Amino acid sequence: MRFPALCTALALSPSLAFAVGSTSSEVPTTGLDYGPRPAYLIEKLPEGALKTKLQSCAGQAPKRSLFSIGHRGAPLMFPEHTVESNVAAAGMGAGILECDVTFTKDLELVCRHAQNDLHTTTNILTSDFAHTCKTPFIAATDDTPATAECRTSEITLAEFRTLKPKMDSADKTAKTAAAYLGGIAPYRTDLFTDGAQQMTHAESIELFRALGAKFTPELKSPSVEMPFNGFSQADYAQKMIDEYKAAGVPASDVWAQSFNLDDVLYWIGNEPEFGKQAVFLDASYKIDGFDHTNPETFPHDFVDLKSKGVNFIAPPMWMLVTTEQDKIAPSAWAIAAQDAGLEIITWTLERSGPLASGGGWYFQSVKDVTTDDSMYYQLLDVLAQDVKIKGMFSDWPATVTYYANCMGL
C-alpha cells in the first residue's frame, strides 16, 4: 500500500481494515469515532425537541453515512487534501470523500482546491520551486498586503511531490516568505501538519476505496487559458472520469462536481452513467442582482436543467434558507429546486469557526439568528428535514455523521 499513514490507520481501526480489498459499496460500521465535538455542540442547543432528540442518541454506535461528506477531508484541523485529512474524515464516518481536481505542468491530475493555491497550502514559497510562482512573494507595506500566486500548472508532478502541505493560510502582514506561510485562523491548528502527504487524483481513488468511502471529485476551473499545451477542457473533464474507469470504480459510487455547467453537460452527454450523478455547483451568488429569495433573479431555469439531465445541484448553505419571524425556513431558491425534482447537496458546515459574531459568509442569510455554535445543528436540522438535502459537506464530518446516524439518514 502506497501510504504509510493509511497503513497505521488500518492497523488501529477494525472498520478501515475491513474496507481494504472490499468494494466501496460495502460500508464498515465499527471502529468509528465521533470525538467530543458533537456533544459539545448539542449541549449549546436551546431546550427543545432537537436537543432532546440528539441527546437521546448519545450512546449510539457510529456508522458511516453517505449524508456526511468530507470537504477536502477534515480541514478544520488537518491540512486539506492530504492522506491524513481524509483518514480522519473517514474515521468520523464520512461516507463520501472529496478530491478537488486540477492539473500540473505535465498534465497529471492532483488533489488541490485551486490550481493557484500552492502559496497558501504548501511551503512552495520557501522551497526550491519558489521561482516558478506566477507572482513571486511580495512583502507587505504600510499600504499593501503581502501577496503571491503559485500554480500547479507551473510545476511537474515530480516537483509537486517535493512540496510540504500545510494548513491553508497566509499572513498578509508578512515581510518575508517564511512569515507569509503563517496566518492560521485561531480556531484551527497546525498540530497535524508534520509529514502530511499530498495525493494525485488516482492516489485519492486508491485511498478512499481502502477507507470504505465513495467519491465526489470536483473539476476545478483552470487558472490558465484552455487549451493548455493542447489539453482542452473536454480532455480535462474526460481524464478525470477515465481515472475512475481505470480503477474499476462503478459510476454509481461517483458524484463528479463542477461549477462549470458545460462540464456537467459534457459528462451527461459523453459519460452518461457518471452523468446521472454529476453535481452542478451553483455559483449564482456571484451574479449582480441575485437574490436567493426572489425567483425573478435566478439565472438558471431549474426545470430546464432537469430536462437536460442534471439531477444534482449544490449551492452554499445560505442560499437554501432565509428567516421568517426569527425562524430558519427554506428559501425560494430551495423550493424552486425541489419543485423541479433536483436533488440538493450543500456546503460547507464547520468552515466558519465560532459563530458568536454571526457566522460570516456561510451563515449570511441567517446571521440575525446566529448567536452561538448551536446554530451548526439548528441549521443542519432545517436543511435536512425541510430542504431535504441529500448530503452535507463538512470540514469536520463527525458533526454531520452524528446527526445523520441519530436521524436515520
Side-chain angles (χ1 to χ4, degrees):
M1 187 167 292
R2 179 176 177 81
F3 306 108
L6 175 57
C7 295
T8 300
L10 295 174
L12 294 175
S13 172
S15 68
L16 301 187
F18 171 83
V20 174
S22 70
T23 67
S24 58
S25 62
E26 294 172 341
V27 182
T29 58
T30 60
L32 306 179
D33 188 0
Y34 295 130
R37 184 155 177 80
Y40 169 81
L41 295 176
I42 293 165
E43 181 60 31
K44 290 183 174 295
L45 283 166
E47 297 301 321
L50 178 59
K51 184 172 186 175
T52 298
K53 173 61 176 176
L54 293 178
Q55 285 180 329
S56 74
C57 297
Q60 68 186 358
K63 296 182 180 180
R64 198 171 310 283
S65 172
L66 297 182
F67 185 83
S68 180
I69 306 171
H71 179 242
R72 316 181 205 176
L76 182 64
M77 298 184 72
F78 291 82
E80 64 185 45
H81 288 312
T82 58
V83 173
E84 292 74 13
S85 186
N86 283 286
V87 168
M92 297 179 208
I96 303 174
L97 297 174
E98 179 186 44
C99 169
D100 289 328
V101 178
T102 189
F103 56 85
T104 60
K105 185 176 182 178
D106 48 351
L107 306 182
E108 296 294 334
L109 302 185
V110 295
C111 297
R112 188 62 35 204
H113 179 62
Q115 192 168 62
N116 63 339
D117 74 357
L118 293 179
H119 52 290
T120 64
T121 61
T122 75
N123 70 329
I124 191 170
L125 290 175
T126 57
S127 78
D128 292 339
F129 300 104
H131 68 280
T132 67
C133 292
K134 189 71 175 177
T135 302
F137 171 73
I138 301 173
T141 65
D142 291 339
D143 301 321
T144 308
T147 187
E149 183 188 353
C150 307
R151 300 176 177 178
T152 59
S153 53
E154 300 298 318
I155 58 175
T156 66
L157 176 58
E159 292 165 342
F160 173 80
R161 289 192 186 281
T162 69
L163 302 180
K164 295 180 180 179
K166 71 178 193 69
M167 295 297 283
D168 185 11
S169 65
D171 183 349
K172 296 299 182 66
T173 69
K175 302 294 186 181
T176 67
Y180 185 83
L181 300 182
I184 297 173
Y187 56 86
R188 292 180 173 166
T189 178
D190 62 357
L191 288 175
F192 304 108
T193 59
D194 186 35
Q197 303 166 82
Q198 301 188 111
M199 296 180 291
T200 65
H201 175 240
E203 289 165 354
S204 79
I205 295 172
E206 175 192 354
L207 176 67
F208 298 174
R209 181 158 51 185
L211 292 171
K214 299 189 181 187
F215 314 85
T216 185
E218 181 188 337
L219 196 74
K220 302 303 295 189
S221 298
S223 299
V224 296
E225 185 176 347
M226 300 292 278
F228 176 75
N229 295 339
F231 191 56
S232 70
Q233 185 69 26
D235 293 335
Y236 180 29
Q238 186 63 53
K239 182 166 184 171
M240 189 180 85
I241 298 301
D242 285 345
E243 293 196 345
Y244 289 95
K245 294 167 72 174
V249 175
S252 58
D253 283 356
V254 181
W255 287 261
Q257 315 168 66
S258 181
F259 279 102
N260 183 350
L261 181 57
D262 287 342
D263 293 335
V264 175
L265 296 177
Y266 174 86
W267 293 322
I268 291 169
N270 294 276
E271 291 288 351
E273 290 304 306
F274 287 88
K276 289 177 183 177
Q277 293 188 161
V279 181
F280 175 42
L281 298 164
D282 187 359
S284 295
Y285 54 85
K286 293 184 177 181
I287 298 173
D288 288 343
F290 171 76
D291 179 352
H292 72 300
T293 67
N294 182 0
E296 293 184 1
T297 71
F298 298 172
H300 302 293
D301 182 327
F302 295 141
V303 174
D304 181 58
L305 287 177
K306 182 69 175 177
S307 72
K308 291 177 177 176
V310 178
N311 293 317
F312 288 83
I313 194 166
M317 298 185 300
W318 66 263
M319 279 175 52
L320 295 171
V321 290
T322 186
T323 54
E324 297 176 357
Q325 299 179 336
D326 293 332
K327 300 290 185 182
I328 306 173
S331 68
W333 190 103
I335 293 169
Q338 287 175 329
D339 288 347
L342 292 171
E343 305 284 14
I344 302 171
I345 299 170
T346 191
W347 39 279
T348 302
L349 207 69
E350 294 283 22
R351 191 152 185 83
S352 306
L355 302 181
S357 59
W361 192 84
Y362 289 94
F363 287 79
Q364 60 186 278
S365 61
V366 293
K367 64 181 180 181
D368 292 341
V369 295
T370 300
T371 58
D372 61 51
D373 289 358
S374 71
M375 184 53 67
Y376 279 119
Y377 272 133
Q378 293 183 66
L379 177 57
L380 179 59
D381 189 55
V382 172
L383 291 170
Q385 304 303 326
D386 299 332
V387 179
K388 301 189 184 304
I389 62 172
K390 296 300 181 182
M392 170 63 80
F393 281 90
S394 177
D395 278 13
W396 199 247
T399 301
V400 178
T401 304
Y402 184 100
Y403 178 90
N405 289 173
C406 189
M407 299 296 182
L409 301 178

